[in-house]
Amino acid sequence: GAVVSQHPSRVICKSGTSVKIECRSLDFQATTMFWYRQFPKKSLMLMATSNEGSKATYEQGVEKDKFLINHASLTLSTLTVTSAHPEDSSFYICSAREGGGSYEQYFGPGTRLTVT
Amino acid sequence: DAKTTQPPSMDCAEGRAANLPCNHSTISGNEYVYWYRQIHSQGPQYIIHGLKNNETNEMASLIITEDRKSSTLILPHATLRDTAVYYCIVRFPPNTDKLIFGTGTRLQVFP
């Protein structure tokens, strides 16, 4: 149980275009989802926290207009990287938390974004 | 959340026990110690967590010192597939959902 998927697993896009990454909780309802990014050989950095049906809370230094997060249902959150640039190339990972007093987070497999 | 300190890298022979230390000297009384690992190019995987007592599950054992200022994750019989970056995180879940990842320990298991 507690499986989180991400789609796509890897994507290459051209500079200036936007790309959407999906995060789904497959066998549970996720009241809260988290988005991280990870540069090569670096640790995960939390970008934002999203609760179903409300606006995401972004960490300091993360541009909310560039990284659009939508958590419209209890099983799906999306991260859209708008007007992508090569410096946005990174490994993006989501995690999901069940509601009802459970505090455990389950991570997706990650999406590798390359902006050319 | 309290800060943790881990060695940047460790080696372990296959079949031997891997003991990964974590220092969390500023941990507060209600904070738990969590361990995750990340195999290359994958999402992190939960391993184990504990508050005061030692814990064991099918993956690992967690030994927490009596003063709770440090802990050790033990993989009893390391395999090549245990090669990963291991992260020690302290948090008090009801107060914060966030997992703040430090730099972790890169464990290399060799044949």
Side-chain angles (χ1 to χ4, degrees), chain B residues 4-67:
Chain B
T4 62
T5 305
Q6 298 177 252
S9 63
M10 293 182 66
D11 289 341
C12 178
E14 190 177 21
R16 304 297 293 270
N19 297 292
L20 294 99
C22 179
N23 184 292
H24 32 79
S25 57
T26 59
I27 192 171
S28 61
N30 56 8
E31 287 182 313
Y32 289 73
V33 180
Y34 281 74
W35 283 84
Y36 286 79
R37 73 180 182 184
Q38 186 180 24
I39 295 170
H40 183 62
S41 293
Q42 297 182 23
Q45 177 189 23
Y46 165 82
I47 302 174
I48 199 167
H49 75 279
L51 181 63
K52 293 180 184 177
N53 299 323
N54 298 337
E55 302 287 344
T56 295
N57 63 19
E58 64 277 5
M59 288 183 69
S61 295
L62 173 61
I63 309 297
I64 303 174
T65 58
E66 194 167 338
D67 63 8

Side-chain angles (χ1 to χ4, degrees), chain A residues 37 45-48 58-64 66-67:
Chain A
R37 68 187 297 181
M45 184 191 80
L46 179 65
M47 299 175 67
Y58 290 81
E59 295 298 304
Q60 192 172 10
V62 178
E63 299 175 62
K64 62 180 181 181
K66 181 166 185 63
F67 299 101

